[in-house]
Amino acid sequence: MKDKVIIVSGGFGVLGRAVGQAAIEAGACVALIGHGRPEEIAPHDRLMAIGGVDLEDLAPTTRAFEAVAARWNKIDGLANIAGGFRWQTLEGGDLAVWPDLFRMNVLTAATTMKAGLPFLRAARGAIVNVAAAAAQDAKAGMGAYAASKSGVLRLTESAAEELKDAGVRVNAILPTIIDTPRNRKDMPNADFTRWAQPDQIARTILFLLSDDASAITGAELLIASRS
């Protein structure tokens, strides 16, 4: 990862920060892009933090990518961390959640990929999208979320086929439950020791972005909770 330029969408969240930190430690230059506040991120000479960006809107997202390329002259990788989660049953839930989750999970990924493609084509780079294990095995109350994350998988598959001749690799990871403060609050009786840690997931994402994974595209990698 040394001297690679990596963009992390949704970079101000727990997993986004973990990916950014791991990438910097591996020698990369990193740009965190999303709704967050840049002043909350510790400065580093190989880090950009671009906040206030609506990742569902192509114009500001493209401007953010252009700012990253203007600083470091290229973009080698994109980690799509941005997204959201809602639990609700179909019977008791609000149908408005369905388009909301589509925008948060699928549209943000499509927007950042489209904004990044001119740079990623030039660098023969890589994209990693974050889907979810629920996209393959949805439980009660997970319908809207699982459907949106299934959309992320279909986007990954389609883009991998579209871009393979351009040398741009597109893969997805499918985490189960990630150990975050929000998840602990929402599931206080769960066994937190079995949950995947953000730094573990970050290392997996970096592998897929790295030259070590140069033969891998169109993959959907399950990241299970620890037993």
Side-chain angles (χ1 to χ4, degrees), residues 136-209:
Q136 294 183 335
D137 184 20
K139 306 300 184 184
M142 303 284 279
Y145 176 71
S148 68
K149 288 298 190 178
S150 294
V152 174
L153 293 184
R154 303 294 81 79
L155 172 62
T156 299
E157 292 169 357
S158 178
E161 182 68 19
E162 176 184 342
L163 298 170
K164 64 182 182 181
D165 291 338
V168 178
R169 298 181 296 105
V170 189
N171 295 292
I173 62 167
L174 291 74
T176 49
I177 303 175
I178 305 173
D179 190 2
T180 66
R182 175 62 182 268
N183 284 341
R184 289 192 177 209
K185 180 180 179 180
D186 289 345
M187 294 171 274
N189 298 320
D191 181 0
F192 308 145
T193 64
R194 299 186 61 185
W195 292 358
Q197 298 300 306
D199 63 322
Q200 294 175 313
I201 299 173
R203 288 194 295 271
T204 303
I205 291 172
L206 290 190
F207 165 71
L208 290 172
L209 291 174

Side-chain angles (χ1 to χ4, degrees), residues 196-227:
Q197 298 300 306
D199 63 322
Q200 294 175 313
I201 299 173
R203 288 194 295 271
T204 303
I205 291 172
L206 290 190
F207 165 71
L208 290 172
L209 291 174
S210 76
D211 294 338
D212 288 340
S214 60
I216 303 174
T217 192
E220 299 171 0
L221 182 60
L222 179 67
I223 302 178
S225 300
R226 293 177 293 177
S227 60

Side-chain angles (χ1 to χ4, degrees), residues 83-109:
F85 173 79
R86 299 288 186 275
W87 187 97
Q88 64 171 28
T89 61
L90 179 61
E91 183 177 20
D94 181 357
L95 288 177
V97 167
W98 289 72
D100 285 348
L101 285 175
F102 178 88
R103 289 191 297 270
M104 284 189 281
N105 292 323
V106 185
L107 184 56
T108 57

